[in-house]
Amino acid sequence: MEAAFRVLEVLEKTEGPVSGEYISNILSISRSAVWKHVKELRAIGYDISASQTEGYQLTKKSNRLLPYEVHKNLRTRMIGKKMRYFESTPSTISSAKELLATSDPEKLNGLVIIAEEQTGGVGRMGRVWVSPTGGIWVTIILKPLIPVDHVFMLTMAGAVAVARAIRKEYDLGALIKWPNDIYIGDKKVAGLLLELSAEADTIHYCLLGMGVDANISSHELATKVHGSVTSLSAEIGHDVDRAALLARILKEFESRYLLIEGQEYDPVIREWKSLSCTIDQRVRISTLKNVFEGEAIDIDEYGALVIRKDNGRIERIIAGDCVHT
């Protein structure tokens, strides 16, 4: 498809129709190759008119979340510079694992896997992650130079990135619900999932999955998802530019990721707290061992939620479900 996107670049840079001969001369390819690439572009959603007298003209860009479109907006040093795209996959995390099975994690550091839909998406604690067409379903492969006990900081950085991107792009009051959800009001709009491969004190790789309900109708969400959920398009009344939003998320994430690699944890923790809708709330915590209620009073540098229980005792929660009561 690389050659087809070179044709697309010519169409994007030219006002009005452009002849096949002009494109073939610019790119040093045959006119039949130009026609072949135009058909390829149409097949992935670009509307391109064709006239024997006037030539070709791009009339509408694709609504798919293509790496080509993301890269036009991307302003990062390493996150997202390399991408893999799937129309459909069981999950972007499973696709990442398949890639890592035959590749060096260091060479894949920062690579982003994108899917239009996930047919078997899995969230925290093995829950189904409903991922229809219209959302943003990605996994970032990372080889972080951080201590293993600070790995949850990556989830914090991702949550901050998603919340900040939504706020900056659409002026919506996105907040973070511990441990890894993004809410608008009382409805979930996005979530994150972190998986890692580590041995002793060595991190082999981390996989940061992100899912954002972007252009999904309220009706579709209601029929597929249990619980209180929303989408960006439902909140603002029209579809969003998913490519621009993903580029913003990756930029926001990279800036915090670099802080974490430099062991500058405090700025990320402070920002997470400033965006938290969990701190100072009464919560019910469910862990593998027990269920209890109390007040969420803090989050520490390891990502643990600090709870003041009703009996006055302080408890740190590394993993579990949190419900605001």
Side-chain angles (χ1 to χ4, degrees), residues 28-41:
S28 299
I29 59 176
S30 68
R31 292 182 66 176
S32 62
V34 173
W35 172 238
K36 171 192 170 186
H37 296 321
V38 166
K39 289 194 292 183
E40 290 174 338
L41 292 168

Side-chain angles (χ1 to χ4, degrees), residues 155-212:
T155 304
M156 296 175 69
V160 169
V162 174
R164 283 290 184 215
I166 291 172
R167 284 171 166 260
K168 290 177 180 178
E169 291 287 324
Y170 314 113
D171 197 27
L172 294 170
L175 294 171
I176 304 168
K177 177 178 174 291
W178 188 91
N180 61 352
D181 292 331
I182 309 301
Y183 272 63
I184 296 175
D186 61 353
K187 296 180 180 180
K188 179 179 174 178
V189 74
L192 298 96
L193 177 67
L194 182 69
E195 291 194 16
L196 76 154
S197 172
E199 187 175 354
D201 295 331
T202 302
I203 297 176
H204 299 311
Y205 62 79
C206 292
L207 302 176
L208 182 62
M210 297 180 177
V212 182

Side-chain angles (χ1 to χ4, degrees), residues 12 20 59 61 64-65 67 69 96 101 114-115 130 132 164 183 200 224 236 243 256 259-260 266 325:
E12 288 178 327
T59 55
K61 76 174 188 177
R64 299 190 189 188
L65 191 56
E69 296 293 340
I114 302 171
V130 178
R164 283 290 184 215
Y183 272 63
K224 292 185 175 181
I236 64 177
R256 280 86 182 172
L259 285 173
I260 292 169
D266 286 348
T325 61

Side-chain angles (χ1 to χ4, degrees), residues 213-251:
D213 293 330
N215 298 332
I216 305 173
S217 70
S218 299
H219 173 72
E220 186 173 11
L221 285 171
T223 58
K224 292 185 175 181
V225 183
H226 298 294
S228 186
V229 294
T230 189
S231 67
L232 297 176
S233 59
E235 292 295 321
I236 64 177
H238 60 79
D239 282 356
V240 302
D241 185 333
R242 291 187 298 154
L245 175 58
L246 178 54
R248 167 78 79 167
I249 290 172
L250 297 179
K251 181 178 185 297

Side-chain angles (χ1 to χ4, degrees), residues 57-73:
Q57 184 172 7
L58 177 66
T59 55
K60 184 181 178 182
K61 76 174 188 177
S62 175
N63 63 2
R64 299 190 189 188
L65 191 56
L66 298 166
Y68 173 83
E69 296 293 340
V70 180
H71 280 140
K72 286 196 295 188
N73 299 281

Side-chain angles (χ1 to χ4, degrees), residues 91-311:
S91 77
T92 54
I93 282 184
S94 66
S95 296
K97 289 178 180 177
E98 289 177 7
L99 195 58
L100 284 159
T102 57
S103 303
D104 181 354
E106 287 191 12
K107 294 181 179 179
L108 298 179
N109 187 32
L111 184 143
V112 175
I113 295 176
I114 302 171
E116 291 294 340
E117 69 167 357
Q118 297 181 126
T119 57
V122 178
R124 288 181 62 251
M125 305 182 81
R127 296 190 182 97
V128 174
W129 189 340
V130 178
S131 319
T133 301
I136 295 175
W137 320 118
V138 302
T139 289
I140 308 173
I141 298 176
L142 299 165
K143 174 70 173 171
L145 302 175
I146 60 174
V148 174
D149 60 4
H150 278 76
V151 74
F152 189 78
M153 291 289 297
L154 301 179
T155 304
M156 296 175 69
V160 169
V162 174
R164 283 290 184 215
I166 291 172
R167 284 171 166 260
K168 290 177 180 178
E169 291 287 324
Y170 314 113
D171 197 27
L172 294 170
L175 294 171
I176 304 168
K177 177 178 174 291
W178 188 91
N180 61 352
D181 292 331
I182 309 301
Y183 272 63
I184 296 175
D186 61 353
K187 296 180 180 180
K188 179 179 174 178
V189 74
L192 298 96
L193 177 67
L194 182 69
E195 291 194 16
L196 76 154
S197 172
E199 187 175 354
D201 295 331
T202 302
I203 297 176
H204 299 311
Y205 62 79
C206 292
L207 302 176
L208 182 62
M210 297 180 177
V212 182
D213 293 330
N215 298 332
I216 305 173
S217 70
S218 299
H219 173 72
E220 186 173 11
L221 285 171
T223 58
K224 292 185 175 181
V225 183
H226 298 294
S228 186
V229 294
T230 189
S231 67
L232 297 176
S233 59
E235 292 295 321
I236 64 177
H238 60 79
D239 282 356
V240 302
D241 185 333
R242 291 187 298 154
L245 175 58
L246 178 54
R248 167 78 79 167
I249 290 172
L250 297 179
K251 181 178 185 297
E252 298 284 346
F253 173 71
E254 183 180 80
S255 64
R256 280 86 182 172
Y257 178 73
L258 294 175
L259 285 173
I260 292 169
E261 281 210 317
Q263 298 187 24
E264 296 183 53
Y265 307 129
D266 286 348
V268 179
I269 295 171
R270 286 197 301 269
E271 194 170 17
W272 191 98
K273 288 181 182 180
S274 74
L275 292 168
S276 171
C277 62
T278 299
I279 302 298
D280 296 330
Q281 293 290 319
R282 182 169 179 79
V283 296
R284 180 184 302 112
I285 300 296
S286 302
T287 69
L288 294 175
K289 294 181 178 180
N290 60 357
V291 178
F292 64 90
E293 294 190 5
E295 181 185 0
I297 59 174
D298 203 358
I299 188 169
D300 68 18
E301 64 175 308
Y302 303 101
L305 188 65
V306 182
I307 306 293
R308 180 185 291 116
K309 300 172 72 172
D310 291 342
N311 61 9

